[in-house]
């Protein structure tokens, strides 16, 4: 599809359907959707999207054209339907890392994607669902539970759309299609600042909080009370106290100048760190501030240089651009450190190099082959998958990694070429340099002032581990969720949440897994008991893999009713019903989103479930723990033999424990002295904690 702007659409023989970007999916626009998500998505694809004449990795594609007439361009919104049974990744890691491992495996996933600007007029390619460069990528299971994978506005490379506009569109899509819960892992950064930390202190919620996303769960045992206590402590730090604490440091003068400058500039009194950050963020977009910045900006800085690669073809020279992996790492919002990403890239290159030197094989390697070869050196498959996503036209050392579809096998393959094979480095577009750590003049550049205050107050606070612990608690809180509560909005329809009565096997496992969420069904106002059974059976079969042959026999508490009886006489709309039947495939491998593995997580930080962070399994008790909590750096490989501290103590019964143990990270925050804090440092944290309700306090006995 080639639609770079609105004029191209007007020149077409057949005028395509165009929808206004800024009003698309407002209430009843363009269509009225009143059913559950699975039905709404089908109706949306039928009426508001055009099927493409090709597929990616065997998945069907639809395209919806969104126009912004004031800017004269058309934005393609692609919807890709993934059949779970045909997928190479039937289970959802995102569900598992967000506490939804107990959810039943849905039969379909829908990827909603807006590619980066430069790819709007190009066909989608295999591997499109793995890219992190899309302006928008959301994944929604057919039961209405989903995940926002990425949002990239102007900071992410878009020339036309800002992150707020894209997020507004995504929120309207989710609300209109009637999704139930959407999670997001907030690792967004701006000018090296983590926005979940910056916005958390300034506004009490992350950037996504503008659209109703709230705390879902933290990593490393961080709970919701800890998260909000940490925000409270950092946001209520008094500015005069900050100046006083920095008085004996080399940053004293700069900290004092910046704080006094913005206190004098503010029309209201700035007292706390929250007040300062909120005011600085508010005036960044002020026209007078931009004018002042342009007048005071220096022009002596050297233009940044980026290395791009040019190949000399045999017939006609053609410029082919590549990105250096070392510079690409700086733009990747990853939980792994730079050195770890760089090491993984080098291991991948070594695997491709060995394959290329093998004269008996093809030069290219499939994704799975590369992954298997790299796992000989790196056990973290999540890290390998993350790096492989970005390995396309990327330079690592003296090699260039390329990715393309093999025309014979139609499988995505990776290959490398050396600079000496005709590739030479050339200068190209600019790349941002590191922002100076210390601003030359307060007020000359508000963004630089924000970065300076952010880095030094939060990460270089003198003689206080309290600030460090609170900062880390917020950084360890990356998972947020928005829920659209189930409610009855249409008086002319009956809505219910349908649950399947558990089997004996389910009852035995009730202490290991939570019950999966029920499915929403919608019926006409005068529906009968028989119609309820039929609709419940149809909905469950259509949604979940293990219920594909499920037959509803009866409904709990309605066994004595006749099939012809009207529901409205016995049930209120919005009620939860339990159905009994047979045909459930309890031995199905596609039963839970977390898979069939009954792994256990019990870390000393308090984590008792997979939180998406790097873990290691004890070879004795087979319990998983965080590598970070066991002193294993992210850049280090996991030891072949690992024994947790609990098993070590049991093997050495005569050994006395010399350090204090804690049940969870709540204790770490409530008793800072136990991790090296003095009583003087512990007191303000304890006083701040006491401002919360008694119910939120952790038992300190």
């Amino acid at each position: 599809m080639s639609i770079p702007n609105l004029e191209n659409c007007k020149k077409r023989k057949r005028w395509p359907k165009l929808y206004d970007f800024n009003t698309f999916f407002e209430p009843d626009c363009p269509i009225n959707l009143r059913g559950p998500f699975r039905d709404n998505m089908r109706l949306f694809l039928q009426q508001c999207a055009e099927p493409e004449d090709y597929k990616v990795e065997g998945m069907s594609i639809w395209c919806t054209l969104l126009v912004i007439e004031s800017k004269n361009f058309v934005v393609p919104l692609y919807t890709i339907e993934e059949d779970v049974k045909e997928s190479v990744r039937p289970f959802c890691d995102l569900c598992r890392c967000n506490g939804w491992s107990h959810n039943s495996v849905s039969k379909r996933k829908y990827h909603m994607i807006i590619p980066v600007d430069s790819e709007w007029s190009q066909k989608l390619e295999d591997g499109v669902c793995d890219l992190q460069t899309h302006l928008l990528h959301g994944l929604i299971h057919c039961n209405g539970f989903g995940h926002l994978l990425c949002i990239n506005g102007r900071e992410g490379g878009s020339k036309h759309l800002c992150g707020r506009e894209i997020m507004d569109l995504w929120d309207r899509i989710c609300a209109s299609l009637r999704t139930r819960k959407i999670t997001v892992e907030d690792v967004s950064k701006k000018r090296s600042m983590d926005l979940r930390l910056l916005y958390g202190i300034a506004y009490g919620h992350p950037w996504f909080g503008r659209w109703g996303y709230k705390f879902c769960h933290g990593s490393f045992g961080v709970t919701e009370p800890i998260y909000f206590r940490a925000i409270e402590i950092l946001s209520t730090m008094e500015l005069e106290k900050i100046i006083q604490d920095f008085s004996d440091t080399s940053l004293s003068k700069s900290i004092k100048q910046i704080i006094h400058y913005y206190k004098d500039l503010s029309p209201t009194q700035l007292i706390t760190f929250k007040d300062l950050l909120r005011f600085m963020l508010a005036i960044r977009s002020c026209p007078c501030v931009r004018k002042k910045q342009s007048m005071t900006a220096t022009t002596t800085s050297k233009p940044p240089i980026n290395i791009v690669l040019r190949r000399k073809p045999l017939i006609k020279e053609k410029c082919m651009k590549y990105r250096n992996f070392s510079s690409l790492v700086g733009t990747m919002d990853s939980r792994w450190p730079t050195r770890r990403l760089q090491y993984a890239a080098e291991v991948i290159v070594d695997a491709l190099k060995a394959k290329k030197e093998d004269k008996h094989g093809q030069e290219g390697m499939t994704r799975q082959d590369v992954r298997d070869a790299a796992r000989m050196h790196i056990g973290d498959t999540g890290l390998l998958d993350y790096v492989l996503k970005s390995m396309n036209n990327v330079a690592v050392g003296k090699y260039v990694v390329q990715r393309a579809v093999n025309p014979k096998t139609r499988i995505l393959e990776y290959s490398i070429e050396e600079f000496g094979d005709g590739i030479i480095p050339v200068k190209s577009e600019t790349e941002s340099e590191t922002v100076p750590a210390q601003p030359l003049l307060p007020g000359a550049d508000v963004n630089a002032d924000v970065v300076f205050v952010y880095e030094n107050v939060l990460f270089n606070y003198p003689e206080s581990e309290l600030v460090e612990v609170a900062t880390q608690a917020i950084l360890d809180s990356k998972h947020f969720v928005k829920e659209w509560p189930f409610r009855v909005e249409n008086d002319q329809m009956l809505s219910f949440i349908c649950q399947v009565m558990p089997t004996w096997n389910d009852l035995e496992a009730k202490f290991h897994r939570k019950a999966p969420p029920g499915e929403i069904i919608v019926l006409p106002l005068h529906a009968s008991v028989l119609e309820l059974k039929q609709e419940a059976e149809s909905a469950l079969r259509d949604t979940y893999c293990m219920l594909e042959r499920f037959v509803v026999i009866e409904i709990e508490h309605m066994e004595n009713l006749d099939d012809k009886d009207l529901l409205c006489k016995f049930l209120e709309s919005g009620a939860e019903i339990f159905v009994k039947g047979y045909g459930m495939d309890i031995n199905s491998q596609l039963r839970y989103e977390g898979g069939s593995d009954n792994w256990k997580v019990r870390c000393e930080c308090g984590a008792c479930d997979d939180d998406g962070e790097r873990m290691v399994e004890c070879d004795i008790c087979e319990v998983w723990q965080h590598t970070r909590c066991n002193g294993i750096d992210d850049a280090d490989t996991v030891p072949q033999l690992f024994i947790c501290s609990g098993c070590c103590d049991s093997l050495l019964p005569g050994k006395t424990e010399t350090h204090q143990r804690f049940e969870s990270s709540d204790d770490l925050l409530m008793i800072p002295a136990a991790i090296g804090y003095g009583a003087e440092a512990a007191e303000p944290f304890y006083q701040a904690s006491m401002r919360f309700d008694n119910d939120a306090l952790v038992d300190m006995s």
Side-chain angles (χ1 to χ4, degrees), residues 376-387:
M376 300 294 292
H377 305 277
I378 298 177
D380 191 343
T381 55
L383 169 63
L384 293 175
D385 289 337
Y386 186 83
V387 174

Side-chain angles (χ1 to χ4, degrees), residues 167-227:
M167 193 62 199
D168 283 341
L169 171 66
W170 170 250
D171 197 56
R172 294 196 303 269
I173 291 174
C174 292
S176 295
L177 291 177
R178 295 181 178 263
T179 58
R180 300 173 66 180
K181 285 186 180 181
I182 299 292
T183 68
V184 62
E185 183 181 2
D186 185 4
V187 291
S188 54
K189 291 188 176 184
K190 191 170 186 178
R191 291 176 174 260
S192 76
M193 297 181 292
D194 289 280
L195 292 186
R196 64 185 181 280
L197 177 59
L198 180 66
Y199 278 73
I201 298 172
Y203 302 108
H205 57 72
W207 182 77
F208 293 97
R210 298 179 180 182
W211 293 272
Y213 285 80
K214 299 180 181 179
F215 181 92
C216 179
H217 73 87
S219 301
F220 303 105
V222 175
T223 60
E224 189 170 5
I226 291 177
Y227 171 72

